[in-house]
């Protein structure tokens, strides 16, 4: 299950309800949809194609519809990172740079796990997420992404527009992007 680790204080939160309520104060959404509904071969297939993506998106149709209606998202896709990903280390170096987006970063973890470090007040909170968990990093929040020791993650991404998900590395652009 998810875990919050506060880099400065060393505090750890592991209770899902506590995680949800702590993060919600900062506009970060955390939820558990589970993965029991997905056949293992569908979930653990990292050679994603149209058939695999469709099967996953269909399995979460109800949750995705509710989320999209509530938050104004319009589209979704499937993304994977694993040892099979070309130039994984290069990509990870890029993802590790602090940035924000003008849209929310929405990820439902289908398989594997990862860490979203998010700047909250004067600390950095490592949000560890695993299969079955949803995280929404709100527009404007400074964050980055790291793989953990599993070195793989498979996610549903949900967008308002794919263009809104471009990383903005310069912190000073935050104010204008929030207007
Ligand atoms: Fe991001």
């Amino acid at each position: 299950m998810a875990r919050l680790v506060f880099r400065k204080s060393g505090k750890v939160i592991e209770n899902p309800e506590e995680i949800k309520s702590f993060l919600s104060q900062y506009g970060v959404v955390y939820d558990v949809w589970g993965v029991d509904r997905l056949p293992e071969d569908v979930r653990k297939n990292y050679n994603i194609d149209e058939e695999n993506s469709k099967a996953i998106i269909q399995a979460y149709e109800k949750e995705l519809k509710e989320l999209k209606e509530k938050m104004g998202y319009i589209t979704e896709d499937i993304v994977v990172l694993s040892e099979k990903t070309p130039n994984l280390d290069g990509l990870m170096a890029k993802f590790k740079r602090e940035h924000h987006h003008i849209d929310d970063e929405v990820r439902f973890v289908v398989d594997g796990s990862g860490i979203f470090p998010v700047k909250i007040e004067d600390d950095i909170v490592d949000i560890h997420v695993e299969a079955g968990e949803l995280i929404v990093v709100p527009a404007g929040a400074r964050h980055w992404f790291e793989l953990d020791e599993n070195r793989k993650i498979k996610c549903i991404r949900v967008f308002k527009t794919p263009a809104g998900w471009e990383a903005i590395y310069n912190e000073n652009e935050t104010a204008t992007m929030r207007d």
Side-chain angles (χ1 to χ4, degrees):
M1 291 301 284
R3 188 167 83 248
L4 301 188
V5 180
F6 296 71
R7 291 197 181 188
K8 273 192 191 162
S9 67
K11 186 180 163 187
V12 175
I13 304 179
E14 290 184 304
N15 178 294
E17 286 310 313
E18 270 181 61
I19 290 174
K20 198 184 276 189
S21 86
F22 174 81
L23 292 177
S24 72
Q25 301 172 80
Y26 303 96
V28 179
V29 176
Y30 167 77
D31 207 355
V32 181
W33 292 352
V35 286
D36 291 350
R37 73 191 76 178
L38 285 179
E40 200 157 301
D41 60 327
V42 172
R43 181 155 72 90
K44 294 192 176 294
N45 178 3
Y46 279 70
N47 296 312
I48 46 169
D49 54 19
E50 205 175 321
E51 190 191 356
N52 184 264
S53 301
K54 215 170 146 188
I56 292 165
I57 289 163
Q58 268 179 0
Y60 294 96
E61 203 177 2
K62 183 175 159 279
E63 285 87 349
L64 287 170
K65 187 171 179 276
E66 280 175 12
L67 186 71
K68 285 156 87 175
E69 281 175 6
K70 190 176 160 195
M71 311 283 275
Y73 309 137
I74 52 167
T75 185
E76 69 277 291
D77 68 5
I78 305 289
V79 66
V80 293
L81 286 170
S82 77
E83 298 292 355
K84 287 181 193 165
T85 306
N87 189 27
L88 180 66
D89 288 333
L91 273 179
M92 292 323 299
K94 192 178 101 177
F95 293 158
K96 265 189 172 175
R97 286 179 62 198
E98 183 186 310
H99 63 270
H100 68 276
H101 310 278
I102 58 166
D103 276 350
D104 300 346
E105 180 163 333
V106 187
R107 297 289 181 277
F108 172 72
V109 187
V110 173
D111 191 61
S113 51
I115 309 163
F116 289 86
V118 180
K119 273 191 159 174
I120 291 180
E121 294 178 350
D122 62 346
D123 207 343
I124 293 163
V125 181
D126 285 327
I127 306 173
H128 293 252
V129 286
E130 294 182 5
E133 299 173 335
L134 170 80
I135 180 170
V136 179
V137 178
R142 300 293 289 174
H143 69 278
W144 62 96
F145 175 74
E146 298 175 9
L147 283 172
D148 61 17
E149 64 281 3
N150 288 324
R151 300 267 296 166
K152 62 172 187 174
I153 193 163
K154 178 173 180 174
C155 291
I156 304 177
R157 304 191 291 190
V158 191
F159 307 99
K160 284 179 184 159
T161 68
W165 193 65
E166 280 168 23
I168 298 161
Y169 296 104
N170 181 357
E171 190 166 19
N172 297 327
E173 286 184 44
T174 305
T176 47
M177 290 306 159
R178 274 184 166 164
D179 285 346

